Amino acid sequence: MEKLPILVFGATGRQGGSVARALLKAHRPVRALVRDTAAAESVALRDAGVELVQGTFDDIETIRAAMKGAYGVFSVLPGNLAQGEEVRAGIAIADLAIESGVVHFVYSSGASAGDKLTGVARFDAKPRIEAHIRNLPVAATIVRPMIFMEMLVRPGLGLEEGRYTFFLRPDQSMQLIAVEDIGKFVAAIFADRTRFGGKTLKIAGDTVTGSELEAILTQVAGRPIAYARFSEEFLVANPDLGHMAASLDAGPLADHVDLDLMREINPEMLSFRSWLSGSGYRAFEEILRRAAG
Ligand SMILES: NC(=O)c1ccc[n+]([C@@H]2O[C@H](COP(=O)([O-])OP(=O)(O)OC[C@H]3O[C@@H](n4cnc5c(N)ncnc54)[C@H](OP(=O)(O)O)[C@@H]3O)[C@@H](O)[C@H]2O)c1
């Protein structure tokens, strides 16, 4: 079984790329559906040993062929799809996996997805796909990655002005995950279908409060970075961000996973501090440099 390939969607992107790399590292054969085989990310995947199949979510026959003989499928959908499109593609990929006799199906949902629908179309695509997958006759694992550490080091959060704004109150905590750890968790999940098949699992690598964010950003930057929560007016004016703040206050993002369990599954998982001073430093430093200039 371990010699059969795992078909990875989105392998030229963040999550799929992380999964493809971690599976290769675990000596699992990887096949990837990519839109452009000549793109630099695709060429890098091929050079690393990934078998490329050219196609999009609309190419049902291509996906069917790509799933032939596959042990597993990792499904992740881009964040820019309309809700209807996301649901359609998520369900079609899962149904094709069943038809193809895939043994283990892993779907990456989102930590904001709760078990109930919100009634707001754009937040309900992932729970709808999850519900469909749970009813399929396959060992499926649904992962819900917590907030990507990469999301914290982006322009527009105040770093350019030497300060930082985000969702947390100083004593409120949230959980984060480095994208590179998503692949490591998923590789561990594919390695143990008996343990993880049929499970829905939030995945995270660290917990930080607003005050800790300030301390870590300051320490890694080597100069003071004052932290403040987004203002209420700002959250009201930006409903998607307001939804996330509400989710951190009392919704699915307020539920924290047990980090000891996470470490047992992925012993290499990164804390925010280690990520920021390691692989996250380049992006951080680039914004800080703009602030200095
Ligand atoms: N928890 C968090 O903090 C957080 C943050 C951001 C996103 N997310 C979630 O992460 C998911 C997106 O994953 P990601 O960040 O890994 O995505 P990503 O980096 O944007 O990559 C998207 C991937 O999908 C591929 N793709 C796009 N349209 C396609 C199509 N029509 N057919 C086939 N492939 C297509 C892209 O290929 P090309 O290279 O050809 O474009 C790329 O490989 C979304 O569900 C989003 O909600 C979560």
Side-chain angles (χ1 to χ4, degrees):
M1 283 288 196
E2 289 191 357
K3 296 210 162 39
L4 300 177
I6 293 173
L7 177 66
V8 176
F9 286 84
T12 54
R14 283 177 291 213
Q15 295 197 54
S18 171
V19 169
R21 284 187 289 276
L23 287 171
L24 287 175
K25 200 165 171 221
H27 307 293
R28 303 292 298 253
V30 179
R31 193 177 277 168
L33 184 95
V34 297
R35 294 198 287 187
D36 178 3
T37 51
E41 294 82 2
S42 302
V43 171
L45 288 168
R46 183 166 35 216
D47 289 349
V50 173
E51 178 193 348
L52 300 183
V53 177
Q54 195 272 323
T56 75
F57 299 134
D58 298 324
D59 299 328
I60 298 300
E61 286 314 317
T62 306
I63 297 176
R64 189 175 273 130
M67 285 184 182
K68 208 157 178 228
Y71 167 81
V73 168
F74 173 74
S75 168
V76 64
L77 298 158
N80 60 358
L81 297 181
Q83 190 227 16
E85 252 185 300
E86 184 174 351
V87 174
R88 232 182 345 270
I91 288 178
I93 291 168
D95 287 350
L96 283 166
I98 299 299
E99 192 191 299
S100 309
V102 157
V103 178
H104 194 174
F105 185 84
V106 179
Y107 167 60
S108 181
S109 175
S112 294
D115 294 324
K116 292 190 219 114
L117 296 181
T118 62
V120 183
R122 64 181 174 283
F123 301 128
D124 285 344
K126 290 180 175 66
R128 284 187 199 283
I129 298 169
E130 285 193 8
H132 183 84
I133 290 170
R134 273 192 208 97
N135 285 325
L136 294 176
V138 67
T141 307
I142 295 168
V143 290
R144 293 173 172 171
M146 295 303 254
I147 299 167
F148 296 177
M149 293 181 187
E150 285 75 1
M151 293 293 112
L152 274 67
V153 181
R154 285 186 304 167
L157 296 170
L159 282 173
E160 298 89 335
E161 290 93 42
R163 54 189 178 80
Y164 192 71
T165 44
F166 210 61
F167 295 95
L168 299 176
R169 296 182 184 82
D171 61 347
Q172 182 182 17
S173 63
M174 68 180 171
Q175 289 195 313
L176 301 170
I177 185 164
V179 168
E180 64 196 81
D181 275 332
I182 297 176
K184 293 176 191 161
F185 279 109
V186 170
I189 286 167
F190 274 121
D192 196 345
R193 180 171 61 101
T194 311
R195 177 175 179 192
F196 296 110
K199 299 266 167 40
T200 297
L201 198 70
K202 277 189 176 169
I203 51 174
D206 200 4
T207 306
V208 291
T209 62
S211 302
E212 285 165 351
L213 263 186
E214 182 173 79
I216 295 167
L217 292 166
T218 294
Q219 188 206 2
V220 178
R223 62 181 136 106
I225 295 183
Y227 174 74
R229 186 178 189 258
F230 290 133
S231 70
E232 284 308 324
E233 299 75 45
F234 177 76
L235 292 173
V236 169
N238 295 276
D240 282 6
L241 299 182
H243 175 80
M244 199 156 160
S247 179
L248 277 160
D249 281 346
L253 288 175
D255 288 340
H256 288 186
V257 296
D258 175 356
L259 292 183
D260 289 336
L261 170 67
M262 295 289 112
R263 199 166 292 105
E264 185 248 307
I265 299 171
N266 170 20
E268 294 173 18
M269 76 186 195
L270 296 170
S271 66
F272 181 57
R273 191 188 300 272
S274 55
W275 175 82
L276 190 67
S277 50
S279 51
Y281 188 70
R282 224 171 88 188
F284 186 46
E285 203 248 338
E286 204 170 299
I287 305 178
L288 293 177
R289 206 160 357 98
R290 268 186 248 164

